[in-house]
Amino acid sequence: MWRPLLAAAAALVVVSSPAQASDQWLPVREVSLELGAGSPLDFSSFLPNGAIDAEHRLVAGAGGRLAFAKSPEKPERMLCASLAWSPASGGFPDHETADRYARQLAMRGYNLARLHFVDGSLMFGRDRDFDFDPETLDRIHYLLAALKKNGIYWMMDGLSSLRGVYGGFDDRWDDGGNLKLELFVDERAFDHWKRMQETILGRVNPYTGVAPIRDDALAVVILANENGMEFDTVVHDRPGKPPYDPQLAKPFNDWLAKRYGSTDALAKAWPDLRSDERIEAGSVALPADRYVDSPRLRDLQAFFTETEEAMTARMSAVLRGLGYRGLISNYNNWPTVQASLSRRGLEAVTMNTYHDWVSGYAPGSKTTQISSIADGVNYIRMLAATRWLGRPFLVSEYDHLFWNRYRYEAGLAMPAYAALQGWDALCRHGHGPIVLTYGEPFPHKKAMLPYAIALDPVARAGETLSALLYRRGDVATSAVTVPFAVRGEEDLSDDMQAREPERLTDLALVGRIGLEDGTRLGDGPAVMQPRQQDGEGVLESLRQSGALADDNGTSIDAGIYESSTGQIQLNRFAGQLRVVTDGTEAAAFSSLREPLALGLLRIEQADGNALIALSALDPDASLSTSRRFLLIFATDAQNTGMTFRDTEEKVIEDFGRLPVRLREGYVDLALARTAKSWSVSPVGLDGKVHPAVAQGAGDIAFRLSNDGPSGPTTYFLLELR
C-alpha cells in the first residue's frame, strides 16, 4: 500500500540506528518495456545521436580522448550497450525488431554498442569451418545498419570464442578450445584469425554498402577478447594439470636462448635451474606453480610481454591492410604489471572488471554479498590503475553482478568515477542492456540471471543514471592527474600476479590516475618506481603543490574520499557514496543512521539499503532551476520462486522464474525548493507516467514508496509548477 504523504520535512522521523529492509517482494506488472517518445526515460531530446560519417568518425583527439574527426579538441563520452547475444538469450533480432531495438537504445542514451561473440553466433550448429549461418549473418548486417542509422557506433571483437569459426563444436560460449593461446605459437591459428577478419569484418554489408571494417561507424576493434597469455592459462587451469600449456615450452626456450645465450648464464640468474635443464637442448621447464615467486616466473612474464607486443603489431597490420582506420585494442583484462606492459603500445586501452564475479548459472554458484563501497570500490580502482595516460580508455565490460544485494551501487559508483577519471566509454556487460518485453521464450530470458542486466530493474535504473552522470556530463573530469611511473621490464618482479598496490589506487577516488612512461613525467606529484610511497603521502604532495584544495576532506585512514572536484564523496566505513552536481544529486547507502544532506536534496530516512537519485530533466539540467525531475529509487530485485542454499543468500539453489519482484521500500525526502504546487508520479518500467501519488504546495517533502497503485517501480517524476 502507498504510505501517507508527510506534510513537511519537520514532521519526518529520523532513524537513529540501521533500518531493517522490508522482507516483502512486489511483482513487476509491466510486460512491454518499450518507451514512448517524450517519456521521462526518453533522453534523446538532450542526448541526441548525430549522423555517423567521415567528419564524425571517432578518433584519438586532444589529450588522447575520444573525439570526432572534425573536432578533435572536444572529448566525446560514449555510453555503450553490450550486445553479447547467444541462442540462449534469443540471438540477433529480425529486421523489424532490430529497428525497434536500435531506436530504444538511442532513446535511452546509448551511442556505442559492443558486439561480442559474433563468431559464436555465426557458427552455432555449423559443422564446417567458416560456414556462417546465412540468416544470422544477414541479421548481424542489418543490426549494424540499424545501429548506425540511430547514431550508435560499433566496438567489435576480432575473436571472442575460443573455438573461433572452426566447425563441429557446441561449446562456443564456454572455455573449450585453445585458439587464443595458439595464436601466439601456431601459424595455422593466426591464419584462421586473419581469415576471420576478412570474412566477417571485411565482407560488404548489403544494408550499408560498405564492409564493416571500412565503415566510419566501426570505432574500436579488440583484436581478441581477454587473450593475454597468462590469463588464458588460468582459464584452462585444471587440478592435476601443469599450470602452463606445453605448447609454450619451445618458444620460451627459444626466447631464453636469445636472452641468455647459454645455460651457464641462465644458471646465474635462476638459482633453481636443475642440472637436467639446458638452453642448448631446449629442455628448460616452464614454472610448475604460478603462485610460487621465482626468477623463472619473472622471465616468463618478460617473454609474455614481448610475445604479446609482437602479436598486437602483427594482428594490427592485418586490419590496416584491410582498410581499417579506427582504433585498435587488445588484452582487455588482467590488471597485472605484466599485462599493463603488454598494453603499453596500444592505440586505445580497453579493460574488463567485475565486483562479486559469478562463475555460472548452475545450482551451487556463489556470490559474496559484499558491498563494493565497503572495499572502496576496489574493482573500479583496479581498473583505473591499468589505464595508460594520453590515449583513449574504454571499459569494455563491467558489472556488479546479480544477485548481490548491493548491486544498486554500480549505477552510481561506476559512472561517477568513470567521469571523474575522464574515461571514454562505459559498457556494462550483459546479453543486451534492454529488452523490449518480459517473457521472451529463451532460456536466459525466463528469469533474471548474472549478466542479464536487461531484465533487472536495479541494473536498468543504474544504466539510466549512467546516461545522466556519465554521458550527459553531470559529473566533471578531475583536473588533478597522478601519473604512475613505468620504466619497463625492470618493473617486473618474481610475482606473476603483482599489480598496482591498493594503498595507491585509493588515489583514483580523488583524481585521475594512470600509467605513464617514467621519462615523460612532469613536475607535479607522481607515484614512482619502486612503489614505496603511500596514498596519504601523495595526497599531501598534491596539497602542497596546490593541485588539491586544502579543504579536501579525504582521509584514507578514516575511509573517507572526496574527489578533487568536490562532487563525489565515498565513506567506506559508513557504507555511503554521495554525488552532488548541478544536474544530479544521488546517494547509495547500506545504512542510514541519520539524515543525509546532499545539496538541495535531503534524505531524511529510509527503511533499508538503496540508491536514491534526483536528476533535472529540463534543458538547462540544473536542479536549482528545473521544473521536471527524474527520481530513481532502487532497492533490490529477485525472481519469483528464487531459492538459496543458505540464509545469507550467497549460494544459489534455483533462480526461479518471472515475474521479477522488487523489494518493497520507502524513503523520506525533502527538496530545498518551494513551488506553488508540486507532484510526484510513478513512472513505470515502460516509461509511462501514472497518476500522482504525492502532491502539495510550498515546501517539498514527501515519503516515496516503490509500492504504488500502478505496481512497483524504480522511477518517479517530480514536477514543480
Side-chain angles (χ1 to χ4, degrees):
M1 297 292 292
W2 184 264
R3 294 172 175 82
L5 170 68
L6 298 185
L12 301 178
V13 178
V14 174
V15 176
S16 58
S17 60
Q20 294 298 311
S22 170
D23 59 1
Q24 299 299 308
W25 296 84
L26 312 168
V28 167
R29 298 183 190 177
E30 288 88 359
V31 177
S32 171
L33 296 175
E34 286 192 73
L35 303 181
S39 162
L41 303 181
D42 175 9
F43 296 162
S44 58
S45 63
F46 56 84
L47 291 177
N49 291 347
I52 297 177
D53 54 27
E55 287 191 339
H56 294 89
R57 185 170 59 89
L58 286 172
V59 300
R65 300 290 305 278
L66 274 186
F68 294 139
K70 74 166 189 175
S71 51
E73 73 289 344
K74 182 179 180 294
E76 301 290 337
R77 291 181 181 176
M78 311 303 291
L79 184 63
C80 171
S82 175
L83 306 182
W85 284 318
S86 69
S89 58
F92 284 85
D94 60 32
H95 291 194
E96 186 269 337
T97 306
D99 284 328
R100 291 162 53 204
Y101 196 93
R103 178 59 188 149
Q104 288 287 308
L105 289 177
M107 292 170 73
R108 296 169 192 261
Y110 294 101
N111 55 353
L112 176 70
R114 181 191 181 207
L115 278 72
H116 188 46
F117 272 97
V118 167
D119 44 13
S121 293
L122 286 170
M123 291 299 296
F124 180 69
R126 314 301 285 185
D127 293 328
R128 293 183 291 113
D129 299 358
F130 294 94
D131 182 26
F132 302 149
D133 180 86
E135 181 178 359
T136 300
L137 181 61
D138 177 79
R139 289 185 174 201
I140 291 169
H141 280 154
Y142 191 88
L143 176 68
L144 290 173
L147 292 169
K148 181 179 180 180
K149 181 180 178 181
N150 283 275
I152 298 173
Y153 294 82
W154 317 326
M155 174 164 55
M156 299 181 70
D157 299 342
L159 169 69
S160 303
S161 173
L162 286 161
R163 292 296 187 188
V165 292
Y166 291 117
F169 297 101
D170 58 5
D171 60 349
R172 298 186 181 280
W173 284 266
D174 300 323
D175 56 9
N178 207 18
L179 180 57
K180 291 179 184 177
L181 187 64
E182 288 171 348
L183 280 172
F184 296 98
V185 297
D186 189 334
E187 280 299 310
R188 293 170 300 178
F190 184 86
D191 289 343
H192 183 87
W193 177 89
K194 179 181 178 182
R195 188 177 170 193
M196 285 178 64
Q197 313 318 304
E198 295 167 348
T199 55
I200 298 176
L201 295 180
R203 186 189 305 240
V204 172
N205 181 342
Y207 301 105
T208 62
V210 63
I213 203 162
R214 292 189 293 275
D215 200 306
D216 293 322
L218 184 57
V220 181
V221 172
I222 299 170
L223 295 172
N225 180 62
E226 296 188 344
N227 63 317
M229 298 173 77
E230 172 70 14
F231 178 74
D232 190 82
T233 63
V234 171
V235 168
H236 289 94
D237 210 353
R238 299 291 185 274
K241 284 180 56 180
Y244 295 103
D245 194 299
Q247 293 184 91
L248 295 173
K250 184 181 185 306
F252 184 46
N253 272 267
D254 292 344
W255 181 87
L256 290 171
K258 292 179 181 177
R259 169 65 61 100
Y260 289 100
S262 69
T263 301
D264 289 343
L266 180 61
K268 294 177 182 178
W270 291 13
D272 66 340
L273 188 69
R274 301 190 311 267
S275 59
D276 61 341
E277 293 182 289
R278 298 194 59 78
I279 282 181
E280 294 79 5
S283 59
V284 178
L286 295 161
D289 189 334
R290 64 166 47 89
Y291 302 110
V292 176
D293 299 352
S294 69
R296 189 183 303 250
L297 271 174
R298 185 191 180 283
D299 273 348
L300 185 66
Q301 293 177 77
F303 162 68
F304 283 167
T305 297
E306 287 190 20
T307 305
E308 288 170 353
E309 287 179 324
M311 182 54 63
T312 293
R314 190 179 183 196
M315 296 168 87
S316 298
V318 170
L319 295 190
R320 298 303 182 203
L322 292 172
Y324 180 57
R325 296 194 298 161
L327 296 169
I328 294 175
S329 189
N330 213 1
Y331 314 123
N332 59 323
N333 75 325
W334 217 233
T336 62
V337 173
Q338 180 271 312
S340 288
L341 289 176
S342 293
R343 289 186 283 266
R344 187 176 194 171
L346 293 175
E347 298 170 358
V349 175
T350 51
M351 281 294 292
N352 302 342
T353 189
Y354 291 92
H355 177 76
D356 212 354
W357 182 75
V358 177
S359 61
Y361 304 142
S365 296
K366 298 178 181 179
T367 188
T368 66
Q369 293 293 10
I370 292 174
S371 160
S372 67
I373 294 174
D375 73 0
V377 292
N378 185 48
Y379 77 120
I380 298 176
R381 293 188 284 120
M382 183 172 62
L383 202 65
T386 66
R387 176 198 195 168
W388 279 92
L389 297 171
R391 69 202 70 178
F393 183 83
L394 303 89
V395 181
S396 45
E397 295 179 22
Y398 84 91
D399 200 8
H400 184 149
L401 287 157
F402 176 77
W403 60 101
N404 181 296
R405 65 175 60 98
Y406 300 101
R407 66 189 180 282
Y408 57 81
E409 296 171 346
L412 183 60
M414 182 58 83
Y417 284 115
L420 181 76
Q421 291 297 318
W423 294 342
D424 296 278
L426 197 56
C427 198
R428 189 164 184 167
H429 186 64
H431 42 74
I434 64 169
V435 289
L436 302 181
T437 181
Y438 276 124
E440 294 177 287
F442 307 110
H444 289 175
K445 296 290 185 69
K446 294 182 178 180
M448 285 189 295
L449 297 170
Y451 314 101
I453 59 176
L455 300 180
D456 182 1
V458 175
R460 276 298 327 142
E463 283 289 87
T464 301
L465 186 56
S466 290
L468 300 167
L469 291 178
Y470 178 74
R471 186 182 167 194
R472 186 169 75 172
D474 288 11
V475 174
T477 298
S478 176
V480 173
T481 301
V482 180
F484 282 46
V486 176
R487 296 170 298 188
E489 184 185 319
E490 61 188 301
D491 295 334
L492 297 174
S493 69
D494 292 353
D495 180 5
M496 178 65 86
Q497 314 305 314
R499 60 184 65 179
E500 297 297 344
E502 290 184 29
R503 71 178 190 279
L504 290 169
T505 62
D506 279 349
L507 296 166
L509 306 182
V510 179
R512 297 169 72 242
I513 70 169
L515 306 175
E516 181 63 278
D517 187 321
T519 64
R520 299 176 57 187
L521 298 178
D523 296 329
V527 174
M528 306 303 294
Q529 283 283 14
R531 305 287 195 240
Q532 296 176 340
Q533 299 152 279
D534 59 36
E536 288 285 10
V538 178
L539 287 172
E540 181 58 29
S541 296
L542 289 170
R543 290 189 175 99
Q544 291 180 0
S545 70
L548 189 65
D550 290 337
D551 61 355
N552 181 276
T554 301
S555 170
I556 294 176
D557 290 342
I560 296 173
Y561 303 86
E562 181 183 347
S563 68
S564 65
T565 61
Q567 293 181 325
I568 310 172
Q569 185 185 93
L570 184 147
N571 188 324
R572 285 181 73 166
F573 304 138
Q576 295 179 0
L577 176 65
R578 314 178 194 186
V579 172
V580 179
T581 75
D582 290 342
T584 294
E585 295 181 7
F589 48 87
S590 56
S591 65
L592 202 62
R593 291 178 170 83
E594 58 187 16
L596 186 58
L598 298 176
L600 295 174
L601 181 65
R602 180 179 172 90
I603 305 172
E604 300 288 354
Q605 67 166 331
D607 74 337
N609 54 316
L611 164 69
I612 304 292
L614 179 72
S615 296
L617 291 180
D618 287 344
D620 68 353
S622 170
L623 292 175
S624 61
T625 60
S626 185
R627 313 300 292 181
R628 297 174 72 250
F629 307 85
L630 179 66
L631 262 168
I632 294 175
F633 177 30
T635 55
D636 193 6
Q638 293 186 356
N639 297 306
T640 299
M642 193 170 178
T643 58
F644 304 91
R645 292 183 178 178
D646 62 319
T647 58
E648 295 181 324
E649 300 184 345
K650 295 180 179 180
V651 185
I652 194 72
E653 178 62 36
D654 189 336
F655 279 105
R657 62 192 183 281
L658 298 178
V660 170
R661 303 180 305 157
L662 279 167
R663 195 198 78 219
E664 181 184 33
Y666 73 86
V667 61
D668 292 331
L669 302 174
L671 186 65
R673 287 187 60 183
T674 59
K676 290 182 179 179
S677 65
W678 54 265
S679 63
V680 178
S681 304
V683 178
L685 303 182
D686 57 1
K688 293 179 181 176
V689 180
H690 296 281
V693 292
Q695 51 195 345
D699 293 340
I700 303 169
F702 53 92
R703 173 163 288 183
L704 190 69
S705 168
N706 61 3
D707 183 13
S710 52
T713 186
T714 56
Y715 304 115
F716 301 84
L717 179 66
L718 171 62
E719 295 180 285
L720 312 185
R721 299 176 183 85

